[in-house]
Amino acid sequence: MSAALRTEGLGKAFTLHLQGGTHIPVLGGVDLAVHAGECVALWGPSGAGKSTLMRCLYGNYGAGAGRIMLRHRGADLDLATADPRQVIEVRRETLGYVSQFLRVIPRVATRDIVAEPLMARGMARDEALDRANALLRRLNLPERLHGLPPATFSGGEQQRVNLARGFAPFYPVLLLDEPTASLDAANRAVVLDLIREAKAAGAAIIGIFHDAEVREAVADRLFDVLPQQDAA
Amino acid sequence: MTITVVPPAPSTLEGYNFAYLDEATKRMIRRALLKAVAIPGHQIPFGAREMPLPYGWGTGGIQVTASILGPTDTLKVIDQGADDTTNAISIRRFFTRVAGVATTEHTAEATVVQTRHRIPERTLREDQIIVYQVPQPEPLFRLEPRRMETKRLHALADYGLMHVRLYEDIARLGHIAKAYDYPVMVNRRYLMSPSPIPAFDNPKMHRMPALQLFGAGREKRIYAIPPYTEVRSLDFEDHPFRPIRAPHACALCGSRDTYLDEVITDDAGGRLFVCSDTDFCAERQADSAKEAAE
Amino acid sequence: MTTPLLKATGLNLRFGAIPALVDVAIDVAAGEVVAIVGESGSGKTTLLRVLSGMMAPDAGDVLWLGQDVLAMGEAARRRLMRTEWGYVHQNPRDGLRLGVSAGGNVGERLMAVGARHYGNIRAEALSWLAKVEIDASRIDDLPRTFSGGMQQRLQIARTLVTHPKLVFMDEPTGGLDVSVQARLLDLIRSLSRELGLSVLIVTHDIAAARLLADRILVMRRGQVVEQGLTDRVLDDPQHPYTQLLVSSVLAA
């Protein structure tokens, strides 16, 4: 069976035109394959390009070289060359991403933020909101906060909103960037459960976990991300 | 309407062409009239001439009348329904002097009726023509000040704006408040101002057997409604058009279905309502006098 | 892939010596929100005017569902503008009738397409005022008594009441307080989602574009210098001008 996500010779460099065209290579020759039901932890020193790799996999950064093959609607799609509308479709149906930062329209209620990806898939509003509320409760976010916009929430609360939004729909491929960074032990345990459940349901998960305990609990293997030599 | 230059009758003024306007001008106006009849409700520009009376006194209507009048015609002129008001008398005398035509106060006897602000109560016939004096031919005038834009709206039959005006009336007052110059759709195509006749008269325009001609002198526009043309007053399904009249009987003839004028009789608030159509009222009074005598 | 609703190719337009549009191509699919960003004078608004048929380019084609917009008669284009299209002006005064009540403003498009039942028109106007969060008690008030944000929301209600497929928006949040902007952005987004509306929005507000748009086009001196997925263009800009634009945004 082919991998849920596979990169071939993936490379990424940045050219900073405002700094006289400085060229910064970050990734080169990355060959990563993740299968359904498997969790792979990216491993490497700070600044090695783990977050850059995650962003490339999500299509947030454009791939500089190589291919990113994703199982989508039963076929392999190269995210590196997909057009924007395909990427949007992939993100709606196949590829989820929990980043460290919450970026939402001000004034939108938390439960609506979580329910949004469900409704984008066509789920009825009431059902989507029920599911959103349930997941937020499970992540110990008090009910009274569900109707408020998360702008004034603490870092940990915002992260849980992000997690709920990422886990509410089932994504066959899920990217987790430091999902437990600002969480206490109790909430960390909830996240671990969520990850295990997603794996059991067949999700392919790629994560950056600085917390060794979390990493050991969910990662099936590590994938080394090595710093590139400055070639400028 | 076929006329040739005719020597003026002895009682008429010397030195003027028949019906005052020269033949070239009449031909130009008749062309505009033909065009107007061909496109019911559509405003046709024409080269309005200076007339020997000020704008606002019916220069548009007079020019139309002058262009269609023949020596055998009988002319009736009314102002606010009355034959005996200054304006009506002046215009009648004008045509007596420049065309030598017969005049009448009886609607039934007239071949051409020139009017300001009313349509006679007596139903007009196929062999009659009614000429309206129009101060402002553009029904969208108060809603869209740009003349180019109103022309475009007519061309595209884009009349939502007029309905907005009526909507506003209902929203504010509970009913459509326009009591005169109430806009109509002619032949389901053109939005048209009926001139400042009371809304009460609007239904008379619908499928009228007589030809209806409209002349606006200052604005230099002519338009027309051919006989038996559909003329609908704008309205809403749930707020249908309703012709309104004062809920009284005429103090002189007792009519309960004609348009009434309110007449103040003294300084103590005394008032009475009488038919605005003086000819119609007089006829009814004569009829009932005859009946009483028999 | 479905065919785009709106598709323009090879658009060129010069104002004397100034190039306003240089070989611009753009398409908008059903349900998609596309932002055009760039500094003042970059040709954003000109592009919007050309795409909506309000201005003719020197060269190029604009197709709406395969129909040539530029070859369309004015009657057809106006019909399009009051049925399948909508246009939200930067200044609500350009898009509203200030002497007509809020309800009349919303109802006008309905009446223009033949609605003739006062009660239904009023009910529809009320429901749209609610959607844009204007109190029902204001329905008979004149828009000139409204705040700028309310006027803009009224303009949106007036535009969307006939359920257009595509709405052109020219700096809809320009000139509004920041707090009011957020509310308006939220409204535009939720309405576009709810109605499956396509939106082509011109803005110089990068943050607004990020929150609203699926795709983004960056314009400079009449040229589209970069385009693509919104978050990719903003987070991984390739063109020097885009890098400058993105780095100039104040982070909140």
Side-chain angles (χ1 to χ4, degrees):
Chain A
M1 188 189 156
S2 73
L5 180 79
R6 185 178 82 248
T7 69
E8 293 167 7
L10 178 63
K12 178 66 187 169
F14 295 97
T15 304
L16 306 181
H17 294 287
L18 302 183
Q19 268 97 54
T22 310
H23 186 78
I24 306 172
V26 180
L27 301 173
V30 176
D31 295 315
L32 165 68
V34 187
H35 293 265
E38 184 185 30
C39 178
V40 173
L42 303 186
W43 177 248
S46 189
K50 299 188 294 294
S51 281
T52 297
L53 175 55
M54 289 287 253
R55 283 166 171 255
C56 285
L57 296 180
Y58 192 59
N60 180 223
Y61 287 173
R67 305 204 293 168
I68 303 170
M69 304 307 292
L70 182 83
R71 280 309 277 178
H72 173 63
R73 292 189 174 181
D76 277 346
L77 176 76
D78 184 2
L79 267 186
T81 56
D83 78 36
R85 289 178 195 126
Q86 284 176 309
V87 175
I88 288 168
E89 179 190 291
V90 159
R91 288 176 177 181
R92 186 170 60 235
E93 297 174 14
T94 307
L95 184 62
Y97 179 44
V98 177
S99 72
Q100 299 180 60
F101 307 102
L102 185 62
R103 208 170 220 163
V104 289
I105 289 197
R107 239 177 53 97
V108 179
T110 296
R111 70 165 75 89
D112 289 317
I113 291 170
V114 177
E116 194 201 335
L118 297 171
M119 292 193 288
R121 287 178 167 194
M123 188 184 281
R125 185 177 163 79
D126 288 347
E127 192 187 348
L129 287 176
D130 284 349
R131 186 123 144 222
N133 282 326
L135 200 52
L136 287 166
R137 267 197 307 274
R138 192 171 164 197
L139 283 156
N140 300 310
L141 205 74
E143 199 97 29
R144 64 187 161 80
L145 297 183
H146 297 189
L148 300 178
T152 54
F153 290 7
S154 72
E157 284 163 346
Q158 289 196 2
Q159 180 150 39
R160 279 176 278 155
V161 175
N162 237 354
L163 283 159
R165 187 177 155 93
F167 279 97
F170 171 78
Y171 291 112
V173 178
L174 191 54
L175 311 172
L176 305 173
D177 190 351
E178 297 278 14
T180 58
S182 7
L183 300 187
D184 60 23
N187 283 315
R188 203 155 51 220
V190 176
V191 175
L192 291 181
D193 282 345
L194 286 173
I195 295 173
R196 287 193 197 102
E197 286 166 21
K199 277 170 68 179
I205 295 175
I206 300 165
I208 301 172
F209 307 103
H210 278 165
D211 185 328
E213 196 184 312
V214 171
R215 190 169 60 237
E216 279 153 27
V218 295
D220 299 300
R221 60 189 170 89
L222 301 180
F223 180 83
D224 288 324
V225 180
L226 303 172
Q228 292 285 293
Q229 297 306 311
D230 275 334
Chain B
M1 269 173 47
T2 44
I3 47 162
T4 45
V5 183
V6 177
S11 63
T12 59
L13 278 175
E14 294 289 331
Y16 285 95
N17 189 33
F18 176 76
Y20 186 77
L21 293 176
D22 62 274
E23 291 306 307
T25 299
K26 288 188 197 169
R27 188 159 56 197
M28 175 270 292
I29 293 175
R30 286 179 203 142
R31 279 188 180 140
L33 287 169
L34 286 173
K35 212 166 171 184
V37 169
I39 316 172
H42 177 54
Q43 299 166 48
I44 313 292
F46 79 109
R49 298 293 189 251
E50 291 294 330
M51 296 303 283
L53 74 168
Y55 287 131
W57 284 55
T59 54
I62 290 170
Q63 290 179 77
V64 170
T65 299
S67 305
I68 62 168
L69 219 48
T72 57
D73 272 315
T74 305
L75 177 68
K76 171 184 163 82
V77 182
I78 50 171
D79 179 1
Q80 305 272 17
D83 297 86
D84 55 359
T85 50
T86 314
N87 215 352
I89 293 171
S90 302
I91 294 171
R92 219 160 42 226
R93 273 179 52 192
F94 174 76
F95 280 112
T96 307
R97 295 177 75 185
V98 299
V101 293
T103 61
T104 180
E105 296 193 359
H106 300 305
T107 305
E109 289 170 9
T111 55
V112 175
V113 180
Q114 180 172 332
T115 179
R116 171 174 177 267
H117 291 194
R118 275 310 309 276
I119 297 176
E121 302 289 357
R122 174 184 282 277
T123 308
L124 295 175
R125 303 181 310 261
E126 280 181 1
D127 60 348
Q128 293 178 306
I129 297 175
I130 181 168
V131 177
Y132 298 78
Q133 298 171 205
V134 181
Q136 176 49 260
E138 180 48 71
L140 298 166
F141 172 65
R142 289 199 184 285
L143 305 168
E144 176 53 70
R146 292 167 296 178
R147 171 68 85 172
M148 273 310 292
E149 180 65 13
T150 57
K151 280 178 80 170
R152 212 172 272 142
L153 294 176
H154 282 297
L156 303 170
D158 187 350
Y159 296 134
L161 197 52
M162 194 72 236
H163 269 93
V164 170
R165 161 74 210 273
L166 302 182
Y167 166 95
E168 293 286 280
D169 272 2
I170 303 174
R172 265 176 242 279
L173 309 159
H175 60 93
I176 297 171
K178 228 168 162 30
Y180 64 92
D181 201 359
Y182 190 107
V184 293
M185 279 300 282
V186 177
N187 202 26
R188 304 179 187 212
R189 174 58 183 83
Y190 281 98
L191 180 71
M192 192 195 87
S193 156
S195 85
I197 59 171
F200 175 82
D201 281 345
N202 274 18
K204 295 186 183 131
M205 305 180 105
H206 178 58
R207 300 192 53 79
M208 183 191 278
L211 172 64
Q212 307 178 65
L213 304 176
F214 300 78
R218 187 190 56 215
E219 302 294 329
K220 300 179 170 52
R221 292 290 186 280
I222 279 173
Y223 50 102
I225 305 175
Y228 301 108
T229 302
E230 182 180 319
V231 178
R232 295 279 178 204
S233 302
L234 293 195
D235 61 1
F236 289 98
E237 289 157 18
D238 49 342
H239 284 264
F241 169 78
R242 238 179 253 121
I244 352 161
R245 65 185 286 278
H248 297 278
C250 171
L252 300 176
C253 75
S255 166
R256 293 189 165 275
D257 52 11
T258 51
Y259 193 71
L260 302 177
D261 283 338
E262 183 181 357
V263 181
I264 306 297
T265 53
D266 53 35
D267 289 343
R271 55 179 193 165
L272 49 89
F273 290 89
V274 296
C275 285
S276 115
D277 185 337
T278 50
D279 172 52
F280 188 79
C281 192
E283 257 178 51
R284 274 180 58 95
Q285 289 176 62
D287 285 353
S288 54
K290 216 183 288 173
E291 274 167 35
E294 280 163 9
Chain C
M1 197 102 286
T2 51
T3 50
L5 295 176
L6 186 76
K7 185 175 177 63
T9 46
L11 295 179
N12 279 282
L13 179 61
R14 300 184 74 86
F15 296 133
I18 305 158
L21 297 176
V22 182
D23 292 328
V24 174
I26 183 173
D27 54 75
V28 182
E32 195 178 35
V33 179
V34 179
I36 304 169
V37 301
E39 63 202 2
S40 305
S42 59
K44 308 184 298 271
T45 297
T46 302
L47 177 56
L48 208 60
R49 293 176 65 84
V50 167
L51 291 174
S52 60
M54 291 159 78
M55 194 186 268
D58 296 337
D61 293 308
V62 180
L63 298 180
W64 169 253
L65 297 170
Q67 256 182 298
D68 187 343
V69 171
L70 302 171
M72 244 178 230
E74 195 187 352
R77 201 152 59 220
R78 282 200 175 207
R79 200 172 310 122
L80 203 54
M81 197 45 111
R82 65 181 188 228
T83 54
E84 295 182 320
W85 288 359
Y87 199 103
V88 174
H89 297 262
Q90 170 171 13
N91 187 340
R93 284 154 192 276
D94 295 336
L96 291 174
R97 292 192 188 278
L98 295 179
V100 168
S101 69
N105 265 288
V106 178
E108 180 176 352
R109 268 173 77 110
L110 292 171
M111 292 184 250
V113 296
R116 292 292 179 265
H117 190 284
Y118 174 83
N120 293 350
I121 292 164
R122 198 160 169 88
E124 189 79 354
L126 276 170
S127 114
W128 271 95
L129 290 182
K131 282 197 179 93
V132 299
E133 302 174 33
I134 293 175
D135 196 274
S137 67
R138 304 298 302 268
I139 186 168
D140 294 329
D141 293 350
L142 296 181
R144 64 167 69 97
T145 66
F146 288 9
S147 69
M150 273 173 84
Q151 286 183 353
Q152 198 57 292
R153 279 179 277 134
L154 182 62
Q155 193 192 180
I156 288 172
R158 169 184 160 89
T159 307
L160 297 188
V161 67
T162 48
H163 297 277
K165 292 191 171 96
L166 171 65
V167 177
F168 300 94
M169 295 191 177
D170 187 5
E171 301 273 11
T173 59
L176 298 178
D177 286 350
V178 179
S179 60
V180 178
Q181 280 184 21
R183 191 172 175 191
L184 200 66
L185 290 177
D186 173 28
L187 182 75
I188 293 170
R189 201 170 80 135
S190 60
L191 287 177
S192 69
R193 292 272 159 97
E194 216 172 284
L195 306 170
L197 196 67
S198 299
V199 179
L200 189 58
I201 183 171
V202 155
T203 180
H204 63 263
D205 183 346
I206 303 284
R210 180 190 283 278
L211 294 174
L212 284 179
D214 299 310
R215 287 193 301 125
I216 199 168
L217 282 83
V218 181
M219 285 193 75
R220 187 194 191 206
R221 293 181 190 157
Q223 272 180 302
V224 176
V225 295
E226 186 164 357
Q227 62 173 307
L229 200 62
T230 300
D231 61 272
R232 188 184 302 179
V233 169
L234 298 181
D235 292 338
D236 186 15
Q238 302 297 309
H239 192 276
Y241 177 69
T242 315
Q243 292 190 356
L244 177 67
L245 202 65
V246 170
S247 67
S248 311
V249 176
L250 296 174

